[in-house]
Amino acid sequence: MPLRRPTLPHTTPLPKKYPLKDFFRNPDRGYFRLADDGKTLGFMQPVALDDQPARMNIFVQALQNAQPVGEPRRLTSETARDISNFFWKGDDIVLYQKDFGGDENFHVLAVNAQTGVAHDLTPYENVRAGIEDDLPDDPDHVLISHNQRDPQVFDVYRVNVHTGAAVLVAQNPGNVVGWQTDHAGKVRAAITSDGLDTTLLYRDNEAAPFKPLITTDYRTTVSPAFFTFDDRKFYALSNRGRDKLALVIIDPATPDQEELIFATDEVDLDAAGYSRKRRVLTVAAYQTDKPRRHYFDAQTEALYQQLESLLPGYDLAIQGLNRNEDTFIVAAYNDRTPGARYLFQTATGALHKLADINPSIPEAEMSPVQPIRYTSRDGLEIHGYLTLPAGRDPKGLPCIINPHGGPWARDGWGYNPEIQFLANRGFCVLQMNFRGSTGYGRRFWEASFGQWGLAMQDDITDGVRWLIDQGIADPARIGIYGGSYGGYATLAGITFTPDLYAAAVDYVGVSNLFTFMNTIPPYWKPLLAKMYDMVGHPEHDQERLAATSPALHVDRIRTPLLIAQGAQDPRVNKAESDQVVQALRERGVEVQYLVKDNEGHGFHNDENKFEFYEAMEAFFVAHLKP
């Protein structure tokens, strides 16, 4: 019998390839919400009705001692699209929003959780509606804003959730871009904009006229968060006279003075929270490399410490609570799993698991997300996240560069199914918060103005160079993929640095800076002057916008390209993708083009998501050979 040399095992075995649908399908049960009295649980789960594909619909289930009992009941019957969001109004009414084909013209609907009777509270065509205040002390009404009267601006109405009857409480004079209510649900503040200057308006009560309180240029933020508990002053996130957003109190009697409550030198504050029941400030949230909290209140800090001891190794978020603030919905997650959702009762200390959000993807086989930083060519420090595929030597890897959308947004640490899917297929993934990304202060944000396709793109390119210099990336096997502004950065990458990328996927991306600004939704029009200042003016900056519009330079593109687009997209019109595809095909350059007629700015229906990610996987595997 011949001798065989033994096969030496890998020090870390390669994780198995998990099915694509397991990464991207809707959870079997998720989006948990508590009724005010804590006696009923709401959640969403996919259900197939009338031979249509399964869609996320709302279910309710009774609770006893913070545990579900009996059978869940289905409340809604949506078949066209998933419900995007819902919450409780009191003990018996569930409010939810829906749009049509991804057009972002959301309607607000109310469903009685006992009877199942539903009302569309905003039954208007081509109108976008949203909830301004759920009026927790008024059992019959909510405040809804919509743009039925004038497509460019939003008025506020007090709407009866049982009948849909509406009364106007604040008419937009034409320049209000945001409303603010006090703790009694009265509309007491508003933010106006002429595009370049922003004014905070204030009134003592709803019978009084609004008066200007604070005027700043748009680069300075004074954003009301909520009123103090006597409804006489308000908390705001402000960067007046500083680089980073801080939590302050502003007294309308002395609006030029700010009482500083909390700030960090490192980053902007994201939000602040309070206890409605106890009328105290509880927490400030911000994000360095990872999510952070600052506590103002010993009871809140003790609650989080108790939860952390019960759920070690996970980041925690409180996603819902009852009116009595003694029963909480808790999310526990990290960078390798969307985790689980729990009900926690403070009186007993009992923690009940409601669901694992994605049990088919084992946390232990996913890839850690590492915060990284590098220096741009002009000396800016760029923060980002590097995900290396588990079980592989981090040398000479095929890599995907993944610039975020926005662009005035940021990538953060946590679970991202796209990133984990690509890593599971053997790719390393680099996400970077290029200049203009939010959270890093005003100077870093302003460094992006007029820099689409220029310094913003250089920050992305410098990240690729860093990855190559570290020895992590195989320079011949680098792809780029992004959505929205990330789609623009993808097209700019293969247009202006064509030697850098071996494959590219553009998902609902801007291609032409002229046509993009001509086709924005009407309710963005009040902010157009600001867009011109931040991105460029089609006449004054014509040369620069032409030089940085990939659609006008498709003759330079030679990288294999896949484009995905929703036909109903109100933000990035389908023409943005059409013009690139047409120009490339006229040159004989093959480009894969995936269009969905029932989607908007990104694909939300499961069957469309699956088709897109299947196409993306096959495309990157073919060109980057992991």
Side-chain angles (χ1 to χ4, degrees):
M1 204 175 149
L3 292 172
R4 287 189 178 167
R5 182 186 293 170
T7 306
L8 293 174
H10 277 278
T11 48
T12 39
L14 288 179
K16 77 172 224 189
K17 281 187 183 175
Y18 287 90
L20 177 146
K21 290 180 180 178
D22 285 351
F23 285 93
F24 297 112
R25 65 185 176 82
N26 281 319
D28 291 335
R29 193 170 283 194
Y31 306 96
F32 295 94
R33 306 279 187 269
L34 272 176
D36 274 11
D37 60 8
K39 293 179 180 174
T40 317
L41 180 70
F43 58 87
M44 290 208 283
Q45 71 181 44
V47 59
L49 302 166
D50 304 330
D51 297 324
Q52 299 295 311
R55 300 290 181 231
M56 293 301 272
N57 273 283
I58 301 168
F59 288 72
V60 291
Q61 190 170 12
L63 291 173
Q64 267 177 17
N65 299 319
Q67 291 204 26
V69 292
E71 284 300 305
R73 285 186 296 115
R74 178 170 57 80
L75 272 194
T76 59
S77 307
E78 297 294 336
T79 57
R81 288 173 72 72
D82 294 335
I83 290 172
S84 60
N85 196 10
F86 81 96
F87 61 90
W88 285 90
K89 163 69 178 165
D91 305 334
D92 296 323
I93 299 289
V94 170
L95 298 172
Y96 74 96
Q97 290 178 279
K98 63 181 268 189
D99 75 344
F100 301 85
D103 63 6
E104 297 187 25
N105 286 322
F106 290 99
H107 289 210
V108 178
L109 293 91
V111 192
N112 187 301
Q114 305 302 322
T115 65
V117 173
H119 285 282
D120 186 343
L121 302 181
T122 54
Y124 319 115
E125 273 194 38
N126 302 317
V127 167
R128 180 184 173 104
I131 295 159
E132 289 288 334
D133 193 321
D134 62 339
L135 303 179
D137 296 324
D138 178 341
D140 300 317
H141 298 90
V142 291
L143 294 185
I144 291 176
S145 62
H146 60 67
N147 60 342
Q148 187 208 12
R149 183 184 61 83
D150 178 345
Q152 292 192 25
V153 297
F154 293 81
D155 303 319
V156 183
Y157 298 82
R158 186 173 281 107
V159 181
N160 187 301
V161 294
H162 310 291
T163 67
V167 176
L168 181 71
V169 295
Q171 181 164 313
N172 199 319
N175 59 353
V176 170
V177 294
W179 302 98
Q180 183 70 45
T181 55
D182 64 15
H183 292 288
K186 306 298 182 191
V187 180
R188 296 271 306 284
I191 292 180
T192 69
S193 173
D194 66 4
L196 297 178
D197 285 332
T198 300
T199 298
L200 177 60
L201 306 179
Y202 174 83
R203 60 185 178 183
D204 288 330
N205 55 66
E206 281 190 332
F210 278 113
K211 292 181 179 169
L213 201 64
I214 298 165
T215 296
T216 61
D217 68 19
Y218 75 85
R219 298 170 184 230
T220 302
T221 298
V222 181
S223 177
F226 44 86
F227 275 74
T228 53
F229 300 102
D230 60 5
D231 279 333
R232 290 181 179 170
K233 305 175 186 177
F234 53 86
Y235 291 94
L237 292 177
S238 168
N239 62 7
R240 271 196 297 181
R242 57 173 75 83
D243 185 57
K244 308 289 194 295
L245 283 173
L247 182 65
V248 301
I249 290 178
I250 295 174
D251 183 343
T254 53
D256 293 333
Q257 297 168 20
E258 294 181 349
E259 180 190 342
L260 179 65
I261 302 300
F262 179 69
T264 137
D265 293 336
E266 236 181 315
V267 290
D268 294 320
L269 291 192
D270 292 330
Y274 64 93
S275 161
R276 185 173 182 85
K277 178 186 176 187
R278 294 183 293 119
R279 299 166 69 85
V280 294
L281 194 63
T282 54
V283 70
Y286 58 101
Q287 202 169 173
T288 54
D289 288 340
K290 292 185 177 181
R292 311 282 178 199
R293 280 185 293 270
H294 172 84
Y295 300 105
F296 300 106
D297 166 59
Q299 189 170 323
T300 303
E301 187 170 9
L303 171 65
Y304 275 97
Q305 285 174 344
Q306 189 177 6
L307 292 169
E308 283 162 1
S309 68
L310 292 167
L311 297 163
Y314 294 94
D315 272 45
L316 303 177
I318 290 174
Q319 295 187 328
L321 65 167
N322 62 341
R323 191 176 172 93
N324 206 35
E325 297 184 11
D326 59 11
T327 307
F328 298 87
I329 291 168
V330 180
Y333 68 95
N334 61 27
D335 53 340
R336 287 162 295 127
T337 175
R341 304 296 177 263
Y342 299 86
L343 264 178
F344 178 69
Q345 204 170 33
T346 52
T348 62
L351 188 72
H352 173 79
K353 185 189 271 193
L354 293 169
D356 286 302
I357 297 301
N358 194 347
S360 50
I361 301 292
E363 176 185 346
E365 295 208 30
M366 295 298 106
S367 300
V369 178
Q370 308 168 34
I372 57 100
R373 58 187 70 182
Y374 60 89
T375 305
S376 71
R377 64 190 70 182
D378 62 354
L380 268 187
E381 186 172 67
I382 307 296
H383 294 251
Y385 298 91
L386 177 65
T387 306
L388 297 169
R392 290 169 177 84
D393 192 14
K395 289 178 184 158
L397 291 168
C399 291
I400 310 287
I401 309 303
N402 181 220
H404 63 70
W408 303 294
R410 67 159 285 176
D411 274 324
W413 183 89
Y415 179 79
N416 180 325
E418 289 187 336
I419 304 301
Q420 292 299 337
F421 170 68
L422 291 168
N424 183 251
R425 295 314 194 247
F427 298 102
C428 92
V429 186
L430 178 65
Q431 304 164 274
M432 70 286 289
N433 286 319
F434 44 80
R435 72 191 64 205
S437 300
T438 50
Y440 297 98
R442 189 199 326 210
R443 281 189 295 275
F444 190 81
W445 174 62
E446 288 182 0
S448 70
F449 293 1
Q451 295 299 316
W452 285 42
L454 300 169
M456 292 169 79
Q457 197 68 30
D458 291 343
D459 291 346
I460 296 167
T461 303
D462 293 344
V464 182
R465 301 277 181 224
W466 174 83
L467 209 53
I468 294 168
D469 291 345
Q470 300 290 310
I472 295 168
D474 176 349
R477 293 191 295 160
I478 295 174
I480 183 167
Y481 157 60
S484 197
Y485 176 85
Y488 167 83
T490 295
L491 293 173
I494 61 173
T495 304
F496 307 125
T497 50
D499 297 331
L500 210 52
Y501 301 107
V505 177
D506 157 31
Y507 187 37
V508 299
V510 173
S511 72
N512 181 324
L513 296 176
F514 298 101
T515 54
F516 163 61
M517 287 193 276
N518 279 339
T519 54
I520 59 172
Y523 44 85
W524 282 15
K525 292 272 166 60
L527 302 173
L528 200 52
K530 177 174 157 183
M531 285 285 285
Y532 287 162
D533 203 51
M534 293 170 73
V535 181
H537 192 284
E539 288 161 20
H540 311 155
D541 303 307
Q542 182 176 4
E543 218 168 285
R544 173 165 56 78
L545 294 181
T548 52
S549 289
L552 306 182
H553 304 279
V554 287
D555 55 309
R556 301 186 198 175
I557 295 177
R558 54 177 186 266
T559 307
L561 178 61
L562 164 64
I563 294 180
Q565 176 70 49
Q568 309 296 325
D569 192 337
R571 294 165 184 255
V572 176
N573 198 276
K574 180 171 172 281
E576 291 298 303
S577 294
D578 287 348
Q579 55 192 301
V580 174
V581 172
Q582 185 181 341
L584 284 173
R585 286 181 175 166
E586 282 170 3
R587 271 180 57 215
V589 176
E590 188 42 51
V591 53
Q592 262 180 270
Y593 192 25
L594 183 63
V595 180
K596 290 295 165 193
D597 290 335
N598 62 342
E599 296 284 10
H601 198 57
F603 295 175
H604 293 277
N605 290 339
D606 265 1
E607 66 276 13
N608 296 331
K609 285 189 295 187
F610 298 155
E611 188 179 342
F612 168 60
Y613 290 117
E614 281 162 6
M616 181 162 87
E617 177 184 12
F619 180 81
F620 276 141
V621 166
H623 294 290
L624 304 182
K625 301 183 171 48

